[in-house]
Amino acid sequence: MKLVFTTFFLLLTVSAVAQKKEEQDFSAFKDYYPIAQRPYLSGGFGNNEYEQILFDAKPVVYYGVYNDIRKSLTRDSIVRGDAFYLTLQPQLRMYQGNSKPVKTPSYKALLGWQSILRTNNNNFLTMAIETGHYSNGQTGAAFSTEFEDESEEGQAVYETITDDTDLSAILNRKSGNFSTNLSRLSLNYRVNRFDAENNPKRIHSYTFTYQLYHNNFMGLFDFGGYNPKDIAIYGRHQFELGYEFTGYCKSMRYTVGQEVFLHLGSHPSTDPYRSKTYGVLYPWDTDLGFFTAFSFGFDDYNYRFVDSFPRLSIGVTWDWFTPFVVKPPKIDTNNP
């Protein structure tokens, strides 16, 4: 638990320093990723019948290799911006009871490329390709606390699973292994509305993502993949749709959004859908925000996708793509 709060204290400190530095030299310190996961720390209400969540934390970080997105969007002319990066997206939960170690934490590491293009009317079109690994670092059989993953005894457990089996009831919640490689293709379109000084006032953001679980890392290297018995249970394909509206109430920024997930090919006892409705308030119009969210459908915590329950969450978050002034493109009067 101390690790979670220490991580978020550091994120909060970095956010404050970044904001201070941004006032002095906004182009030199901070990278921007139009398609990104927000880090958060939250508590809330709503649990599966087997566990009670005390805290949920996702200390996401992005390590830029190259990023000229913000620079490209603040030029007079229309030019493409690109970003190459590594993102680490761990997720940790503290449950009621003995959580030493943290039960089946979630680890996701992705290599990514994003490319953005500004339109003539200052809207943004972005494409992202990400690929990497997703696992929980455990070694036990997913549906048995007695055997190791991929042992003969552990594999034999799968033979007892039928379409009528309640996987949530037999899940190994202490040491059950989840592992796969994955790739994601995302498209985002932002409709921006600015005031007379080119300050952003209203933003509509639409995102579509296709996610594929595959065995080889980056589709090429034979490590970090899935147990063939597992992939038959959690399926390979997922589609995601997202909408966000960002506006201002005087100088205070706010965001409301809706995300819908559809997971294809999973076991009949699991819900194939997930919905998340959320709102974020940024009291000081900085990266730091306070949010509330309501979700229902399958859980998004590695092998706990076999669980399904409604949950109301309240917490703190950081925004990786804070709105900023965008110069209008110059019009060539010689070529109307």
Side-chain angles (χ1 to χ4, degrees):
M1 193 61 197
K2 291 181 179 179
L3 175 61
V4 174
F5 281 108
T6 300
T7 301
F8 272 88
F9 175 78
L10 290 174
L11 282 172
L12 179 60
T13 303
V14 169
S15 177
V17 172
Q19 193 67 29
K20 182 69 174 178
K21 181 71 175 179
E22 185 176 21
E23 295 173 359
Q24 301 171 10
D25 184 4
F26 65 81
S27 64
F29 185 86
K30 186 176 176 184
D31 288 336
Y32 279 81
Y33 303 94
I35 299 174
Q37 296 286 320
R38 292 185 178 94
Y40 66 80
L41 173 65
S42 72
F45 309 93
N47 301 276
N48 65 59
E49 59 182 294
Y50 305 100
E51 298 164 307
Q52 180 179 349
I53 303 170
L54 297 181
F55 297 100
D56 188 12
K58 199 169 186 178
V60 176
V61 290
Y62 286 79
Y63 297 100
V65 178
Y66 173 83
N67 192 325
D68 69 352
I69 286 180
R70 181 164 186 166
K71 183 178 180 180
S72 71
L73 295 177
T74 53
R75 289 180 177 174
D76 293 326
S77 58
I78 295 177
V79 294
R80 195 184 76 189
D82 294 281
F84 297 91
Y85 56 91
L86 167 68
T87 174
L88 302 181
Q89 302 178 6
Q91 186 174 359
L92 306 173
R93 283 183 181 172
M94 176 68 73
Y95 290 95
Q96 180 70 43
N98 185 6
S99 294
K100 296 181 179 180
V102 175
K103 291 198 296 184
T104 58
S106 187
Y107 306 107
K108 188 181 292 184
L110 302 172
L111 298 171
W113 166 57
Q114 293 190 28
S115 184
I116 192 170
L117 185 65
R118 178 171 52 138
T119 67
N120 288 325
N121 53 355
N122 278 333
N123 296 330
F124 302 155
L125 177 62
T126 307
M127 180 183 71
I129 298 175
E130 298 174 317
T131 186
H133 180 70
Y134 182 24
S135 67
N136 63 7
Q138 305 301 299
T139 59
F143 300 103
S144 173
T145 58
E146 300 179 27
F147 309 113
E148 292 294 296
D149 182 54
E150 297 194 20
S151 65
E152 290 186 10
E153 298 85 355
Q155 292 292 92
V157 174
Y158 291 95
E159 303 303 322
T160 67
I161 296 175
T162 68
D163 287 353
D164 298 322
T165 301
D166 183 356
L167 296 182
S168 188
I170 66 172
L171 179 66
N172 177 3
R173 299 177 180 275
K174 294 183 178 180
S175 61
N177 175 66
F178 175 90
S179 178
T180 184
N181 293 310
L182 77 157
S183 294
R184 294 168 59 85
L185 171 64
S186 301
L187 298 173
N188 173 265
Y189 187 64
R190 290 176 184 255
V191 180
N192 302 305
R193 294 295 178 264
F194 300 89
D195 62 16
E197 287 75 37
N198 294 318
N199 295 303
K201 301 303 294 182
R202 295 185 304 276
I203 302 171
H204 299 271
S205 176
Y206 307 88
T207 304
F208 168 79
T209 298
Y210 168 65
Q211 177 175 282
L212 173 68
Y213 292 143
H214 48 80
N215 194 43
N216 288 349
F217 182 74
M218 299 181 67
L220 300 172
F221 308 105
D222 187 16
F223 65 86
Y226 49 66
N227 180 339
K229 299 288 187 180
D230 287 338
I231 197 65
I233 287 176
Y234 55 73
R236 300 187 65 197
H237 308 278
Q238 181 168 295
F239 295 93
E240 306 170 15
L241 292 174
Y243 166 75
E244 272 194 357
F245 173 76
T246 298
Y248 284 81
C249 181
K250 295 184 179 180
S251 61
M252 187 164 54
R253 180 164 51 98
Y254 63 91
T255 294
V256 293
Q258 174 67 47
E259 296 176 344
V260 178
F261 304 82
L262 181 61
H263 198 165
L264 304 181
S266 56
H267 187 270
S269 73
T270 67
D271 284 340
Y273 59 85
R274 175 178 174 81
S275 172
K276 180 181 177 182
T277 306
Y278 59 91
V280 188
L281 185 64
Y282 302 90
W284 306 284
D285 192 22
T286 63
D287 296 350
L288 179 65
F290 300 91
F291 78 92
T292 182
F294 177 73
S295 61
F296 63 89
F298 69 80
D299 197 0
D300 63 345
Y301 193 63
N302 54 71
Y303 230 141
R304 281 174 173 77
F305 80 91
V306 299
D307 297 331
S308 179
F309 56 91
R311 182 168 176 81
L312 177 66
S313 302
I314 302 170
V316 60
T317 185
W318 287 263
D319 195 344
W320 290 112
F321 198 43
T322 306
F324 55 90
V325 174
V326 176
K327 294 181 181 179
K330 285 185 177 180
I331 300 175
D332 188 352
T333 56
N334 296 321
N335 295 283

